[in-house]
Amino acid sequence: MELFFLALLILIMAMALGSGFPVAFALPGAAIITIGLAAGTGYIFAGSTDAFFHSGGPQQWLSAGVTNLRGVFWEVERDTLIAIPLFIFMGIMLQRSKIAEDLLVTMARLFGPVPGGLGISVVFVGALLAATTGIVGATVVAMGLISLPAMLRNNYSPSLATGTIAASGTLGQIIPPSIVLIILADQLASATDQASSLRKALHKNATGELSMPSTFDVASTSAGEMFLGAFVPGLLLVGIYMVYILVFAILRPKHAPAVPYEGKYDGAFLKNVLITLVPPLALIFLVLGSIIAGVATVNQAGAIGAAGAMIMAGYRLPEQSKGLYAPALLAIASLVLVGFALANFEMNVKAANDGSDRLGILLGVIATLMFLTALIWSGWRVFKLESTLQGVMLETAKTTALVFIILLGAAMLTAAFRAFGGEELVREFLNSLPGGFWTQFVIVMLVIFILGFFLDFIEIAVVVVPIVAPILLADPQANITAVWLGVMIGLNIQTSFLTPPFGFALFYLRGVAPAVVKTVQMYKGVIAFITLQLMALAIVGLYPPLVNYLPNRVSFLSESSPPPRNPKLQLCLEDYIGQKLAEEAATVQAIEAARGLDLSALPKGLAGDFEDTLDNADKAIEQIKAVFVAAEAVEEAADVYRPQLTLVRGIEKQIRRLEAEAKAMSTTAGRMRDEAQAEARAELEAEVAVLQAEVEHLETTIPASWEEEHKTFALLTNAETKARNTYRRAADGAWEGAVEVLAVISANEAFAALETPLREMRGQIEALSEDESQELVKDLAREFGSVDGASDVKKALDKARKALRARTPDREKALEEFDKAVTAFEEQLVWRAEAEALVPGIQTYMDGIRGTLGVRLQDRFTREQALEMASCSSYHRDISLNF
């Protein structure tokens, strides 16, 4: 019955959507109706409203939907949804300011003389509008009205012209800032939590260990990372479109001819190009640049974009007048003033101490007032001009409400889908597919692609992603990142605007295209661009760094970059260090030079510590070679071991599923104590017996050699782990010992400064009472304790204090111990002065190993190291051998 109600849920939703019923009500309506029918049917035929639910009851699942709805608004981690109305406002405002018209006309004049130039200009403008407006309908309509007549008039193929416009108009779905990416980031943030739990359970079942190493965990993503990850794939798609149009024009010049510009390429033309291009490019730089540089969050960047769009509309919408550009120039001047103040003054109000700081704060206040004036001035212009601001606000509210109510409805639908076991059904189906992760991934991508024929991108993002994303993210075979999965789904969803019969970009274009352009020609035109999108999807899928590198680069170069000791970075770090040691001799030379230092000035213990440091350095260099040997042995054995592992883990997965089913049936049968239920109980017990027999049969299919092979391979992986841990301890020791010695010598000045208080202390011990003198000795001992290497003096002072505070104070013994402290102090003064000569040599040693053996203990990576870590961690590393 659970499957029946699951099918009924999907059928009701499909019928509602197919009949044209609003999506916002079709999704929650299907969920509420199905849950209600299941509860009523269970009450009538089984005497319980919970009877036909996978687990729990109708109250639980309806409240789960409400909880999901509340989470959209109240979870702090999901506050990126606030950016949606801001970016929608920016897009609608720029669309109303006719920026698309200016860009298309200017770019057509610029690229027209090139073969296929009009088509290339449409793609270029589509990319710019995608990065500024991101509204597919507005972009397609604007370009259809402006460029389609011009392309047809210049003998462009109707199929190529309509395909180019429709495809370029959808670039706003993948080029940031994009509403799709924000929604996907929100959905994937929840999916990664579920995936982490699934992977931990998988690790526990496979290894028997209660905790999973953090290096194997699933990393979450954010809207900012999604923007960064989609940036390069978006540019790749734009490049593929342009190359296709250019090649098409060269091969078939009659279908995409060059269009010479009749005017002159003079200063006036250049001025027009700059005025048209610079403002939107500057807005893109401010919005995306602020996110990439870490200056602003996605929400703050959305606010920047909304303000910038209003200022641009403030000079674009009114007619030409003397002070037309005054608000925009005032805004630019305020930004320049803010930049100057931030670069030259301390802008923290609480930390302001002198006139210079107060001057910087004053400049900041003046700049802020200037910007607010420009913003209000522009807003007033837009408000007065045909109530444009009122219209933009109204459209923003409508579009935002549509997006959020679909999100809320999808939360209800997802809860109902899980109530009838749909999530487990999908998981079992995907897990049962042969071929591992990539088969699952291809099937999911294919399903999303087909759903794009019928559903909008929002429905796909909020209904399908929460179900399939945890399964794909949890799989340790590919060990994909959430940002890569999000961008792949985003690229796939983009096709939903082009694929017949419900491609919304086709509907928009059909509405403004002349009657001479047939619908069949439009469908024919988008086929090539759908193919190009699938090609881009394949390229990004096969080369993950296209997505992962930029977010990693920004993360590792930021102020909050992961420290070098981050467990997830150790494999990449050891690869980097091994390569550096093989290419450069600086580390070995530094160790050899340090061996030549004369340590006789140092105390025996400190000299021994430094010699141990050098021994650790030599050991680390040898040990990292052993790491690579052990890793190579694991890699060689993996070719034979992996098929066996896949086979056995698959059998064990089936066994766990059957055992879970048998346990659930046994529990249900155990609750049937009524005689009227005897027949049903007997049937369940018979099914349990069948399942147990199947489990026993599956256990016999596990190869007899599995235990031995697993044990042998485990020895190899343990050897690699041990080699890596040994290397890390040795490398840390190679740095820590030198730091300790250098810290002791560097404390010479602080140590010498305590000579006068120490020598005066004897007279105080003799003259003052035991209680007073022991407090003074305690304070002095504490001061020596804060000086590196002065522990022997501190110990003697502590003994003197102990003698003074004993039940029967012994002043003589205290003075005796104090004299020992003075002697130790004088001895230290001698060797500390001689040890000063060692500082340059020790510093040279530390500089020599800083970039190799000492990397782990640095506060942060250097730029070179950060870029190497970003590159290395951009690839997906298979960790399935550990599961």
Side-chain angles (χ1 to χ4, degrees), residues 311 326-338 362-378:
I311 289 171
L329 294 174
L330 184 62
I332 293 171
S334 69
L335 293 178
V336 172
L337 187 58
V338 166
L362 178 62
L363 291 176
V365 171
I366 293 172
T368 302
L369 292 174
M370 288 169 60
F371 187 82
L372 287 174
T373 303
L375 192 61
I376 294 170
W377 192 351
S378 299

Side-chain angles (χ1 to χ4, degrees), residues 186-246:
D186 176 69
Q187 298 298 320
L188 288 170
S190 300
T192 49
D193 294 336
Q194 299 176 47
S196 178
S197 300
L198 289 174
R199 186 175 287 185
K200 287 173 182 175
L202 184 63
H203 186 267
K204 181 180 178 182
N205 289 329
T207 64
E209 297 177 6
L210 295 177
S211 61
M212 182 182 71
S214 60
T215 186
F216 297 152
D217 209 348
V218 182
S220 186
T221 187
S222 64
E225 288 182 339
M226 289 293 292
F227 283 3
L228 293 171
F231 188 74
V232 174
L235 293 181
L236 172 69
L237 197 57
V238 171
I240 290 175
Y241 285 174
M242 288 182 172
V243 170
Y244 167 74
I245 294 170
L246 182 62

Side-chain angles (χ1 to χ4, degrees), residues 265-425:
Y265 292 103
D266 53 12
F269 178 79
L270 178 62
K271 178 184 176 183
N272 183 42
V273 170
L274 291 177
I275 292 176
T276 304
L277 272 181
V278 170
L281 286 176
L283 188 61
I284 293 169
F285 174 78
L286 284 174
V287 173
L288 297 184
S290 61
I291 297 173
I292 292 173
V295 175
T297 64
V298 174
N299 295 340
Q300 293 163 347
I304 292 170
M310 187 180 293
I311 289 171
M312 288 174 63
Y315 69 77
R316 177 63 186 84
L317 289 175
E319 295 180 359
Q320 288 289 337
S321 60
K322 187 175 181 181
L324 182 65
Y325 294 99
L329 294 174
L330 184 62
I332 293 171
S334 69
L335 293 178
V336 172
L337 187 58
V338 166
F340 174 79
L342 289 172
N344 295 278
F345 299 98
E346 174 60 55
M347 301 296 287
N348 189 335
V349 175
K350 293 182 178 179
N353 295 320
D354 52 27
S356 175
D357 293 342
R358 286 188 283 274
L359 174 61
I361 293 169
L362 178 62
L363 291 176
V365 171
I366 293 172
T368 302
L369 292 174
M370 288 169 60
F371 187 82
L372 287 174
T373 303
L375 192 61
I376 294 170
W377 192 351
S378 299
W380 180 248
R381 282 183 173 182
V382 177
F383 176 75
K384 287 197 306 179
L385 192 66
E386 299 177 0
S387 299
T388 301
L389 182 60
Q390 181 181 355
V392 171
M393 294 292 286
L394 187 60
E395 287 299 314
T396 300
K398 287 180 180 179
T399 308
T400 303
L402 174 65
V403 172
F404 273 83
I405 202 167
I406 291 176
L407 282 172
L408 305 182
M412 294 289 293
L413 184 72
T414 303
F417 189 79
R418 289 172 177 157
F420 300 115
E423 188 176 32
E424 290 194 11
L425 196 65

Side-chain angles (χ1 to χ4, degrees), residues 620-667:
I621 292 175
E622 290 302 316
Q623 195 61 36
I624 202 165
K625 297 175 184 176
V627 166
F628 296 134
V629 171
E632 188 176 346
V634 170
E635 198 64 34
E636 290 175 358
D639 294 336
V640 177
Y641 176 73
R642 195 184 302 277
Q644 283 275 60
L645 176 69
T646 304
L647 173 65
V648 173
R649 294 301 182 228
I651 295 172
E652 291 175 345
K653 189 183 297 181
Q654 294 181 57
I655 291 173
R656 287 195 298 271
R657 179 176 58 82
L658 293 173
E659 288 177 340
E661 288 183 23
K663 183 178 179 181
M665 289 182 181
S666 297
T667 302

Side-chain angles (χ1 to χ4, degrees), residues 865-877:
Q865 294 162 356
L867 295 179
E868 286 291 336
M869 293 302 103
S871 177
C872 175
S873 55
S874 296
Y875 293 88
H876 298 148
R877 191 186 293 265

Side-chain angles (χ1 to χ4, degrees), residues 514-579:
V516 69
V517 178
K518 306 300 180 185
T519 303
V520 174
Q521 291 176 315
M522 294 173 58
Y523 285 175
K524 182 181 176 182
V526 297
I527 290 174
F529 288 94
I530 292 172
T531 305
L532 294 175
Q533 286 184 337
L534 295 177
M535 184 189 303
L537 193 67
I539 293 171
V540 175
L542 294 172
Y543 193 65
L546 286 174
V547 174
N548 294 329
Y549 178 72
L550 193 55
N552 287 343
R553 179 189 175 100
V554 171
S555 173
F556 284 113
L557 291 177
S558 68
E559 290 296 323
S560 58
S561 63
R565 293 197 74 165
N566 188 308
K568 290 195 172 188
L569 303 178
Q570 297 314 300
L571 297 182
C572 286
L573 186 58
E574 282 151 20
D575 289 343
Y576 167 77
I577 292 171
Q579 183 180 355

Side-chain angles (χ1 to χ4, degrees), residues 118-168:
L118 276 179
I120 292 173
S121 67
V122 168
V123 174
F124 183 83
V125 171
L128 283 181
L129 293 178
T132 51
T133 66
I135 301 175
V136 171
T139 304
V140 171
V141 169
M143 292 197 297
L145 288 171
I146 300 165
S147 62
L148 183 56
M151 296 174 83
L152 295 176
R153 190 167 55 248
N154 287 282
N155 300 318
Y156 264 68
S157 163
S159 295
L160 177 65
T162 54
T164 301
I165 292 170
S168 302

Side-chain angles (χ1 to χ4, degrees), residues 8 21 151 179 224 232 245 259 275 310 466 507 566 671 675 704 715 751 754 773-774 862:
L8 183 63
F21 198 74
M151 296 174 83
I179 305 301
V232 174
I245 294 170
V259 183
I275 292 176
M310 187 180 293
F507 290 161
N566 188 308
R671 292 172 179 171
E675 287 299 324
L715 290 174
F751 183 81
L754 296 175
S773 58
Q774 69 98 5
T862 64

